[in-house]
Amino acid sequence: MSVKQMAKTQGHGNPNWSRDETILALDLFLRLGGNVPSPKSKDIKELSELLRSLPYHAEAAKQSTFRNPDGVGFKLMNIRQVATGKGLGNVSNMDRLIWAEFGVRPDEVRRIAAAIKAGVTAAGSEVLPEVDEELPEGRLLTALHIRRERNPKVRKLLLAARHAAGFRCEICDLTRPDLEMSMQEAMFEAHHLVPLAEAGERKTRLSDLALLCACCHRLIHRAMVTRGSWVSVADARAMIVPA
């Protein structure tokens, strides 16, 4: 598709493309073999509709210019420019970042994109938790991950399973058996061991969970944001426990 073929998006004032939106655009670009079709194509229209349905852009999506097919076409042209040096030159830092992380990992892109698409359905009409820092899979899957971990039923299930042996953080080994039980329970949180992009919205199993103190839970999430990749409990433990 040439620049001449593409209409103006009239998209000034629309929110910047997010991490997960750019992953979805890259997934389409890779599935099309690097070819960018007309904004009138079925693939472009479907991606436009998906982007407009993401739950955190409800207000912006009221505008017809938001992530319209022309805008989606331009985004794919920008990605092509990053990938090949050919195409539009108005690329963003997010375009460069996502290409650097995933450009040679099409299977990973496809897996995350599929999870984001499933996440749109899973989110439903429920208000998702605020996201201060995004995990590598992007904002939507981060919000769904937080929602899973804050589910009181999940945490209650894990605490009940660990009650007999005593509560101990699986990263730093913190334990306070001297405290009254409700105080002990307040110190610990449930951490999901499997990224949402891999686990999907399946029913949580005990084997999917780790018991962490609140401090280490924040540490492992911060490490994932900093590294831009999933961090295991063993990796987090190695960060803070002297060899």
Side-chain angles (χ1 to χ4, degrees), residues 51-107:
L51 295 171
R52 290 175 61 82
S53 71
L54 290 173
Y56 51 81
H57 281 329
E59 285 301 314
K62 294 177 181 179
Q63 303 298 321
S64 62
T65 57
F66 176 74
R67 305 299 186 256
N68 62 19
D70 289 322
V72 173
F74 270 115
K75 175 56 65 174
L76 266 63
M77 291 287 282
N78 290 340
I79 292 175
R80 189 175 76 170
Q81 201 283 332
V82 175
T84 68
K86 299 176 181 179
L88 302 180
N90 188 29
V91 300
S92 68
N93 289 334
M94 183 63 75
D95 297 334
R96 296 187 181 92
L97 175 65
I98 295 301
W99 177 259
E101 289 185 31
F102 297 109
V104 295
R105 299 160 59 194
D107 291 343

Side-chain angles (χ1 to χ4, degrees), residues 49-176:
E49 292 173 2
L50 174 63
L51 295 171
R52 290 175 61 82
S53 71
L54 290 173
Y56 51 81
H57 281 329
E59 285 301 314
K62 294 177 181 179
Q63 303 298 321
S64 62
T65 57
F66 176 74
R67 305 299 186 256
N68 62 19
D70 289 322
V72 173
F74 270 115
K75 175 56 65 174
L76 266 63
M77 291 287 282
N78 290 340
I79 292 175
R80 189 175 76 170
Q81 201 283 332
V82 175
T84 68
K86 299 176 181 179
L88 302 180
N90 188 29
V91 300
S92 68
N93 289 334
M94 183 63 75
D95 297 334
R96 296 187 181 92
L97 175 65
I98 295 301
W99 177 259
E101 289 185 31
F102 297 109
V104 295
R105 299 160 59 194
D107 291 343
E108 180 77 357
V109 174
R110 189 175 302 111
R111 180 179 64 82
I112 296 176
I116 293 171
K117 293 173 184 177
V120 173
T121 300
S125 59
E126 183 177 340
V127 177
L128 294 176
E130 291 295 323
V131 174
D132 295 325
E133 295 181 312
E134 295 180 21
L135 297 177
E137 291 86 355
R139 180 176 176 182
L140 176 60
L141 294 186
T142 299
L144 291 173
H145 181 88
I146 293 172
R147 187 174 75 175
R148 285 193 309 172
E149 292 191 331
R150 290 181 180 174
N151 185 332
K153 293 181 180 179
V154 169
R155 184 169 176 274
K156 184 177 180 180
L157 179 72
L158 181 60
L159 290 173
R162 302 296 173 84
H163 183 273
F167 302 136
R168 181 182 297 274
C169 176
E170 295 180 37
I171 291 179
C172 72
D173 288 330
L174 174 69
T175 183
R176 288 297 304 273

Side-chain angles (χ1 to χ4, degrees), residues 30-45:
L30 294 175
R31 285 191 285 112
L32 294 174
N35 297 312
V36 181
S38 161
K40 296 180 180 180
S41 72
K42 180 173 179 274
D43 289 318
I44 294 285
K45 288 181 178 180

